């Protein structure tokens, strides 16, 4: 029996340890997109001023349609720890909230008298799953989605307990949640539900006052602008009402999604997430109605109240997200960074089944097997996203230092000139909060001249670049390079006698059987799509090469082709 307990705790430790090891090696200390302004530029401005009022304004000021207090505080914390902003540390801070969620759900299980680690396994399999890969390696996303999800769940968890200290802690948590992201204010609604359900009307009245002041503070001076149509009228969101349902169910079932077709039509690949979303939402609705109207008493009141408040928070979040993100015939809730909420839906469905059914172990086995299979499948599908996420950032940083142009932001809403301007303003400061360091000092003109030639590269000219007209080339090879499972990326080098530009490429993914036989996730070869028309100065005679910094020798191979 003791051995079995040790085995279960060992599995839990192994799953968590593997996850954090992967996140640590997959994250690079380079700002990504919005991080340049909302974290890096913020920290520089914060350090450049000594006035308390100005520092508080910077911490709580608007970013797009949100306020991101905790994300900015995480940037400051990394600065205080390292003397410079460190995006690896910021990302790990965000991912650490998966541990706090685990502890909270572990406490919830203990309230049900289920302290055996076998009941914790489904929770661990769900939370430490790379299905939410974008939020796992992007500092700005990691310190928004997972912390605010935790804060929103923590509020009803605290209010389910009696005592003035728990109530004050819940108020403070709700305020932080409100100032840390748009859906954080829904913690006040879920908290109010718990207080009213318990008949604590005096506390509920005070709660409403604090909620009104906090939400008013959130919207004070808020400019209603967004890169999306989130603030459009009802006619915008109900233009195609079926997509409201699609986006809602895929948001809830996102943990079961293996595609990201953001801003595209609904397709057959979305069906698994949609069906599981309907199932999970049905289980949550069943549990909520049972608690509200049947006053079920087969489980402790504290556990019942906490579960009800948590369920209300994620349901309100799901409804708000699907409404605000739905416009036209477009799937806008499939992004991986949203899937932390799907994980919580899965866990809450599991907790309800544990509370409702008398036979607990079959429930744990069913959810445990489902979570484990999903974990394995997710690593197979999503590992490449984690292992190659840094490639674009390293290419961008190289281009910024080498050519004073990030290049990588030309296909996003974050304009390339703006990213250069922010980077310049920080690097030129006497007391700069970040060092822009050359990631590949070995990539020089001399090294290119000495490189061997790579034969057999397939090159196709294209007139369509990322869905837009432009001058592109598609490159692929099955002969070079052979990258390890943990690597520093594969790149296409576009160069002439005076300039060197770097573009990200993707190593080829191995087949399932070969992965099992060799233990290698990647096989020899690469593929790339290079949009040179909008990136390179014209006219010029450019040549091509492939660069793989993970190799000990022969990192560069020239391609016998000119642009």
């Amino acid at each position: 029996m003791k051995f079995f307990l040790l085995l279960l705790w060992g599995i839990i430790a192994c799953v968590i340890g593997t996850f954090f090891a992967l996140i640590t090696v997959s994250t690079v200390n380079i700002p990504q997109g919005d991080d340049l302004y909302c974290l890096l530029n913020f920290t520089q401005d914060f350090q450049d001023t000594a006035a308390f009022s100005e520092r508080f304004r910077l911490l709580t000021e608007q970013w797009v349609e949100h306020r991101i207090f905790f994300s900015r505080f995480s940037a400051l914390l990394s600065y205080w720890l390292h003397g410079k902003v460190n995006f690896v540390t910021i990302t790990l801070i965000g991912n650490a909230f998966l541990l706090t969620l685990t502890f909270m759900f572990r406490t919830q299980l203990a309230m049900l008298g289920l302290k055996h680690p076998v009941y914790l396994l489904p929770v661990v399999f769900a939370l430490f799953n790379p299905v939410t890969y974008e939020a796992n390696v992007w500092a700005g996303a990691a310190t928004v989605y997972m912390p605010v999800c935790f804060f929103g769940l923590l509020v009803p968890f605290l209010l389910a307990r009696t005592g003035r200290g728990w109530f004050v802690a819940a108020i403070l948590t709700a305020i932080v949640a409100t100032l840390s992201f748009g859906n954080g204010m829904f913690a006040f609604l879920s908290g109010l539900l718990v207080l009213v359900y318990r008949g604590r009307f005096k506390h509920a009245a005070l709660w409403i006052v604090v909620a009104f002041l906090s939400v008013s503070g959130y919207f004070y001076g808020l400019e209603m602008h967004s890169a999306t149509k989130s603030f459009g009228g009802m006619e915008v969101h109900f233009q195609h009402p079926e997509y409201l349902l699609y986006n809602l169910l895929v948001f809830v079932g996102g943990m079961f999604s293996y595609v990201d077709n953001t801003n595209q039509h609904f397709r057959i690949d979305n069906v698994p997430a949609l069906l599981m979303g309907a199932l999970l939402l049905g289980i949550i609705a069943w549990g909520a109605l049972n608690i509200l109207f049947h006053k079920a008493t087969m489980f402790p009141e504290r556990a019942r109240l906490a579960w009800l408040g948590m369920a209300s928070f994620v349901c309100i979040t799901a409804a708000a997200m699907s409404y605000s993100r739905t416009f036209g015939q477009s799937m806008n809730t499939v992004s991986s960074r949203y899937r932390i909420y799907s994980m919580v839906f899965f866990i809450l469905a599991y907790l309800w089944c544990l509370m409702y059914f008398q036979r607990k172990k079959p429930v744990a086995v069913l959810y445990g097997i489902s979570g484990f299979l999903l974990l394995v499948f997710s690593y197979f599908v999503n590992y490449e996203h984690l292992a190659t996420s840094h490639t674009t950032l390293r290419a961008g940083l190289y281009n910024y230092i080498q050519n004073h142009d990030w290049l990588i932001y030309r296909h996003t809403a974050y304009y390339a000139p703006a990213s250069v301007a922010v980077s310049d303003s920080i690097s030129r400061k006497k007391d700069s909060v970040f060092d822009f360091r050359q990631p590949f000092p070995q990539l020089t003109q001399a090294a290119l001249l000495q490189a061997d030639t790579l034969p057999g590269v397939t090159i196709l000219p294209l007139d369509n670049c990322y869905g837009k007209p432009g001058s592109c080339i598609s490159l692929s090879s099955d002969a070079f390079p052979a990258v390890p499972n943990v690597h520093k990326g594969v790149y296409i080098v576009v160069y002439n006698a005076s300039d060197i530009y770097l573009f990200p490429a993707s190593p080829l993914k191995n087949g399932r059987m070969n992965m099992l036989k060799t233990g290698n996730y990647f096989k020899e070869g690469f593929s790339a799509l290079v949009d040179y028309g909008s990136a390179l100065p014209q006219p010029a005679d450019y040549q091509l090469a492939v660069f793989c910094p993970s190799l000990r020798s022969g990192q560069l191979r020239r391609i016998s082709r000119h642009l």
Side-chain angles (χ1 to χ4, degrees), residues 486-501:
V486 178
H487 60 88
K488 297 180 181 179
V490 181
Y491 306 87
I492 301 300
V493 185
V494 181
Y495 68 100
N496 60 18
S498 58
D499 301 316
I500 302 175
Y501 292 90

Side-chain angles (χ1 to χ4, degrees), residues 406-468:
W406 282 84
L407 294 187
I408 61 175
Y409 297 122
R410 292 179 181 272
H411 301 294
T412 69
Y414 200 99
Y415 299 110
S419 60
V420 171
V422 172
S423 303
D424 286 349
S425 68
I426 293 169
S427 59
R428 291 169 182 169
K429 291 279 187 178
K430 182 179 179 181
D431 297 319
S432 175
V433 298
F434 185 76
D435 292 331
F436 293 92
R437 296 179 179 177
Q438 176 57 267
F440 304 122
Q442 72 270 39
L443 183 55
T444 62
Q445 292 284 354
L448 285 164
L449 290 174
Q450 297 171 8
D452 294 332
T453 301
L454 176 64
V457 178
T458 301
I459 303 176
L460 299 174
L462 302 172
D463 296 326
N464 187 291
C465 303
Y466 303 97
K468 298 179 181 179

Side-chain angles (χ1 to χ4, degrees), residues 64-65 225-232 263 324-325 327 332 338:
V64 194
E65 66 261 43
H225 63 80
S226 174
T228 68
K229 298 178 182 178
S230 299
F231 298 125
N263 297 325
S324 64
R325 293 293 186 265
F327 33 84
N332 297 320
Y338 299 149

Side-chain angles (χ1 to χ4, degrees), residues 66-214:
H66 303 285
R67 300 189 188 276
I68 50 172
F69 167 80
F70 186 80
S71 187
R72 287 176 168 144
F73 178 75
S74 300
L76 287 179
L77 186 58
S78 78
Y79 176 78
W80 295 332
L81 287 172
H82 300 283
K84 299 284 184 180
V85 175
N86 188 291
F87 290 94
V88 177
T89 297
I90 297 172
T91 304
L92 290 175
I93 289 172
N95 281 279
F97 278 85
L98 296 173
L99 294 172
T100 62
L101 284 167
T102 303
F103 178 78
M104 183 170 62
F105 288 126
R106 163 71 172 164
T107 305
Q108 187 80 352
L109 288 167
M111 285 192 286
L112 300 175
L114 304 174
K115 297 181 180 181
H116 197 283
V118 72
Y119 296 105
L120 186 62
L121 275 175
V123 174
V124 172
F125 289 154
L127 288 177
F128 298 93
N129 183 325
V131 72
T132 182
Y133 54 86
E134 192 177 13
N136 295 137
V137 295
W138 178 7
T143 50
V144 165
Y145 293 100
M146 289 173 285
V148 173
C149 180
F150 170 73
F151 295 145
L153 298 174
L154 182 62
V155 168
F157 181 82
L158 294 172
L159 290 177
R161 300 167 181 264
T162 56
R164 182 180 301 175
W166 299 114
F167 181 74
V168 172
I171 284 181
L172 295 176
T173 303
I175 293 172
V176 172
T178 299
L179 294 177
S180 296
F181 210 58
N183 71 307
M185 66 182 69
F186 300 147
F188 279 112
L189 291 176
S190 62
L192 181 63
L193 173 65
V194 172
L195 292 171
V196 171
Y197 184 87
R198 296 195 68 179
R200 297 169 62 183
F201 298 111
K202 290 183 178 179
H203 287 88
L206 177 58
W207 187 264
I208 291 172
V209 172
V210 175
F212 175 79
L213 294 175
S214 300

Side-chain angles (χ1 to χ4, degrees), residues 496-510:
N496 60 18
S498 58
D499 301 316
I500 302 175
Y501 292 90
L502 212 56
F503 294 86
S506 299
L508 297 184
K509 187 176 178 179
N510 221 335

